[in-house]
Amino acid sequence: MSLELTPSQALGLWHTVSLSQVRSEAHDLTLRQMAILLQIYLVPPPHTVRGLAATLNVTKPVITRALDTMGAMGLVDRVRDDRDRRNVIIKRTVAGALYLEKLGDVVIAEARQLPY
Amino acid sequence: MSLELTPSQALGLWHTVSLSQVRSEAHDLTLRQMAILLQIYLVPPPHTVRGLAATLNVTKPVITRALDTMGAMGLVDRVRDDRDRRNVIIKRTVAGALYLEKLGDVVIAEARQLPY
DNA sequence: CCACAATGATACGGACCCGAAACGTTCACG
DNA sequence: CGTGAACGTTTCGGGTCCGTATCATTGTGG
């Protein structure tokens, strides 16, 4: 069963969730950072800088910098690949999982409050 | 009838739509700018700088700067209120409506492709 | 070995956004 | 009038992100 949305529901959902994120005053992530974080947590590992850059259609420094920022927030972690020490494997963290769990709760809550 | 989402659907939808936005490499709006734009187009007018600032829980310069940027993109327009010339009324534009219509299409399309 | 490729990180100059404060214009009201 | 408030804008210093180019490290193949 797929998810069928009306135009009003689609934009309304995006509206209320964006509004909730902005209002919460919490240090919010860039759209790119959010996309990277979701990619890491929703797609099976392993994840590398190069792979993420290709998937998101951005340059490698964008990924490196985003990992720097989100790493400082504790949302992701980086580990050298011992089998090929050129690679860096991006690891998930408890804080990151918690962060996305809360985001999911917000989306669900806002979706439930949508008119019709 | 309200919209009931599973956690997997909620995050999956946010993931694919964010990914689509990032990949399209088009002029990406800040989360705040997006929230402002949606507020202008989905909530009945009139909209003022002061009102938007209060609704989004941000300072007035944030609204002014966002309107500068989105105005340059043609997504919104500003008109002085003749009945109280201190006020500025934010107006919708055809380009803005088209932009959000496309965003809605993306959300709908990605929602339809979600697993279960 | 050694030149070369691949990977991720860094340097640099430019652009944008931020919060706080100050400003110009316009209105309200005594 | 004129004083103060309301509204939107601008300025300022500081921070983050961007794209391009370059770097250090590590692997690959002749």
Side-chain angles (χ1 to χ4, degrees), chain B residues 88-102:
Chain B
V88 165
I89 307 295
I90 290 97
K91 297 286 189 181
R92 302 169 183 169
T93 66
V94 174
L98 214 63
Y99 179 88
L100 288 186
E101 186 181 331
K102 288 180 184 175

Side-chain angles (χ1 to χ4, degrees), chain B residues 25-84:
Chain B
E25 77 175 296
H27 38 78
D28 48 355
L29 298 180
T30 300
L31 182 63
R32 287 179 168 190
Q33 293 170 340
M34 179 63 77
I36 293 171
L37 194 64
L38 285 162
Q39 183 73 17
I40 293 170
Y41 280 82
L42 296 186
V43 173
H47 295 287
T48 64
V49 172
R50 177 191 78 266
L52 290 173
T55 299
L56 303 214
N57 193 31
V58 298
T59 59
K60 287 189 297 179
V62 169
I63 304 296
T64 294
R65 284 185 294 247
L67 293 179
D68 287 344
T69 301
M70 294 191 292
M73 297 179 188
L75 300 180
V76 296
D77 197 6
R78 274 186 278 201
V79 178
R80 277 266 165 215
D81 183 358
D82 280 329
R83 301 201 306 219
D84 184 343

Side-chain angles (χ1 to χ4, degrees), chain A residues 1 14 33 36 38 52 65 70 75 78 99 106 113:
Chain A
M1 159 203 159
W14 211 256
Q33 293 170 339
I36 293 170
L38 285 163
L52 290 173
R65 284 185 296 245
M70 294 191 292
L75 300 180
R78 275 187 278 201
Y99 180 89
V106 171
Q113 293 179 9

Side-chain angles (χ1 to χ4, degrees), chain B residues 14-28:
Chain B
W14 212 254
H15 176 218
T16 54
V17 175
S18 298
L19 210 53
S20 167
Q21 290 289 109
V22 169
R23 269 204 272 240
S24 69
E25 77 175 296
H27 38 78
D28 48 355

Side-chain angles (χ1 to χ4, degrees), chain A residues 16 28 64 66 71 105:
Chain A
T16 54
D28 41 40
T64 294
D105 289 344

Side-chain angles (χ1 to χ4, degrees), chain A residues 32-71:
Chain A
R32 287 180 168 189
Q33 293 170 339
M34 179 64 76
I36 293 170
L37 194 65
L38 285 163
Q39 182 74 17
I40 294 170
Y41 280 81
L42 295 186
V43 172
H47 295 286
T48 64
V49 172
R50 184 184 179 286
L52 290 173
T55 300
L56 302 215
N57 192 31
V58 297
T59 59
K60 287 190 295 180
V62 169
I63 305 295
T64 294
R65 284 185 296 245
L67 293 179
D68 288 343
T69 301
M70 294 191 292

